[in-house]
Amino acid sequence: MKVKTYVINRGTKSQYFCLIAIDKDGEELVMYSAPNNWKTEKGALNWAKKHGYEIA
């Protein structure tokens, strides 16, 4: 499954990154199984790679 990141509160001190799963039809779904509170985009992408997800 492919995933991509999105940002909550962009540009503020409380900014954090979450993961969105992309299904075969191109529909985007929030990944509730992921922690979804990374301070960096790299941290979110590393978690996805470690758990076998493909980066979109």
Side-chain angles (χ1 to χ4, degrees):
M1 179 181 292
K2 291 186 178 185
V3 296
K4 70 177 187 177
T5 58
Y6 70 96
V7 183
I8 304 288
N9 296 332
R10 183 182 298 273
T12 66
K13 290 182 181 181
S14 62
Q15 170 179 307
Y16 64 95
F17 292 84
C18 298
L19 289 173
I20 295 178
I22 303 171
D23 67 7
K24 293 178 183 177
D25 299 327
E27 189 173 331
E28 298 178 350
L29 308 165
V30 175
M31 292 183 59
Y32 293 107
S33 60
N36 287 331
N37 61 351
W38 293 278
K39 289 293 183 182
T40 65
E41 184 174 24
K42 186 176 181 178
L45 295 175
N46 285 339
W47 184 92
K49 288 177 187 174
K50 190 183 298 184
H51 288 85
Y53 293 102
E54 218 179 298
I55 307 304

